[in-house]
Amino acid sequence: MPTRAEALALLHDWNVNPSLRKHGLLVEAGVNGYAVDDGQDNATVEMWGIAGLLHDLDYERFPDPAAHGAIGADELHELGYPDEVVHAVRSHNDALGIPRESRLDHLVYACDELTGFLVAVALMRPSRKLEDVEPASVRKRMKDKAFARAVPREMLLAGAEEIGLDFDEHVARMVRYLSVIASEVGL
Ligand SMILES: [Fe+2]
């Protein structure tokens, strides 16, 4: 299993776009938060987080929905990442039709789209702070079709359902988990 530092270097190697790098860090923070609250040991928390960090590894080079996730997963397999991580990366893109099975698969999916949406909501707050985002304001923004229109609303809801949480609870937890690295990503 490569180290977290090696994983971050890999992310930077494949993704020059700062937004994609930040997105990886945010999804990592979300998955880490869930892993800690699940009571996972430190090694598992780190490994699960790395799946979040690297889930979009191939996106900058291969944004095509038919390839995205599969190329990154193959690369991670070659580099010796555990099958759990590889599967979570491969199954996060619905277009590939790979069923999500493990808790980690579901967590990566649930944290993925929501991070981008939470950032967009945070930037609309006067404070521009993630920690000020509340579930009610997220729901309100979801109803506004013009707002962050690239984010499919049904995926946000499906993510919470896959991890067995009420949507508001998922939002509240994610705000808490992502706030840990807010300053690192400029929020
Ligand atoms: Fe993503």
Side-chain angles (χ1 to χ4, degrees):
M1 171 81 194
T3 64
R4 199 272 181 182
E6 286 165 340
L8 186 65
L10 184 69
L11 177 73
H12 284 197
D13 185 27
W14 280 58
N15 292 277
V16 177
N17 179 342
S19 301
L20 283 171
R21 292 178 175 185
K22 280 182 191 175
H23 175 65
L25 290 169
L26 286 163
V27 177
E28 178 187 39
V31 174
N32 271 342
Y34 275 108
V36 169
D37 282 357
D38 277 2
Q40 300 295 340
D41 60 44
N42 291 344
T44 306
V45 170
E46 181 172 287
M47 192 252 284
W48 284 18
I50 284 173
L53 183 71
L54 298 179
H55 77 283
D56 276 341
L57 179 70
D58 61 20
Y59 190 73
E60 189 170 287
R61 296 185 192 173
F62 304 94
D64 175 0
H68 170 53
I71 292 170
D74 289 346
E75 174 72 11
L76 295 179
H77 175 72
E78 290 293 308
L79 293 172
Y81 284 82
D83 291 344
E84 265 181 286
V85 170
V86 172
H87 194 271
V89 171
R90 199 182 300 279
S91 64
H92 94 275
N93 175 10
D94 284 327
L96 297 178
I98 311 283
R100 284 181 286 281
E101 291 154 358
S102 68
R103 170 83 169 151
L104 177 59
D105 292 346
H106 293 302
L107 283 175
V108 169
Y109 183 78
C111 295
D112 184 12
E113 294 289 332
L114 187 59
T115 59
F117 200 78
L118 291 180
V119 169
V121 175
L123 294 177
M124 299 299 290
R125 309 284 311 172
S127 65
R128 296 171 69 86
K129 281 208 160 119
L130 198 55
E131 64 191 33
D132 294 336
V133 172
E134 284 165 5
S137 49
V138 173
R139 281 187 176 277
K140 205 171 149 196
R141 294 287 180 192
M142 282 169 73
K143 288 189 191 125
D144 176 356
K145 290 204 176 75
F147 180 79
R149 73 178 78 200
V151 181
R153 302 335 195 220
E154 67 278 7
M155 277 178 73
L156 299 178
L157 299 171
E161 208 177 307
E162 283 194 24
I163 56 172
L165 282 186
D166 172 69
F167 182 71
D168 285 6
E169 172 70 15
H170 181 36
V171 169
R173 282 188 181 220
M174 285 293 280
V175 166
R176 187 150 46 86
Y177 300 154
L178 303 190
S179 294
V180 174
I181 62 152
S183 58
E184 199 182 327
V185 295
L187 289 164

